[in-house]
Amino acid sequence: MTVAWLVVYLCGYSNGSHGVELRNNVNVFVAPEARYTHWKQTVFYFDDYLTVKAGEEIYGVIAIKPNKRNNVCYIYIGFSYFL
């Protein structure tokens, strides 16, 4: 018997430097093994669950762009996926 899992979300994080044009760069690390920071990891909830079996992989694309209404404070994140 093969066990199937229902996947309803994926977690994501980003590590990197920001503010290259500033005198001092800001390094932000939010990986699970990184020290605590007020920056958080992100949860991507699916519209519907995926049924995944052992050995299968989930592939996806994350698109990040400025929000058209307010590109200073908000970003748009699109997430598409497939097995």
Side-chain angles (χ1 to χ4, degrees):
M1 183 168 116
T2 304
V3 176
W5 295 91
L6 300 180
V7 179
V8 294
Y9 64 87
L10 292 176
C11 292
Y13 64 88
S14 145
N15 291 330
S17 298
H18 305 280
V20 175
E21 69 281 352
L22 301 175
R23 189 179 318 201
N24 296 320
N25 287 343
V26 176
N27 296 315
V28 178
F29 301 98
V30 296
E33 67 275 3
R35 288 182 29 195
Y36 174 80
T37 175
H38 69 281
W39 293 89
K40 303 295 181 205
Q41 298 170 5
T42 301
V43 178
F44 296 99
Y45 290 97
F46 297 148
D47 293 332
D48 197 3
Y49 63 84
L50 296 175
T51 303
V52 181
K53 297 178 184 170
E56 292 183 324
E57 296 180 2
I58 301 171
Y59 296 90
V61 175
I62 298 174
I64 301 172
K65 61 183 179 181
N67 186 302
K68 291 180 182 178
R69 290 183 289 162
N70 183 344
N71 64 3
V72 175
C73 299
Y74 301 101
I75 59 173
Y76 169 80
I77 299 176
F79 185 69
S80 59
Y81 53 88
F82 57 93
L83 288 174

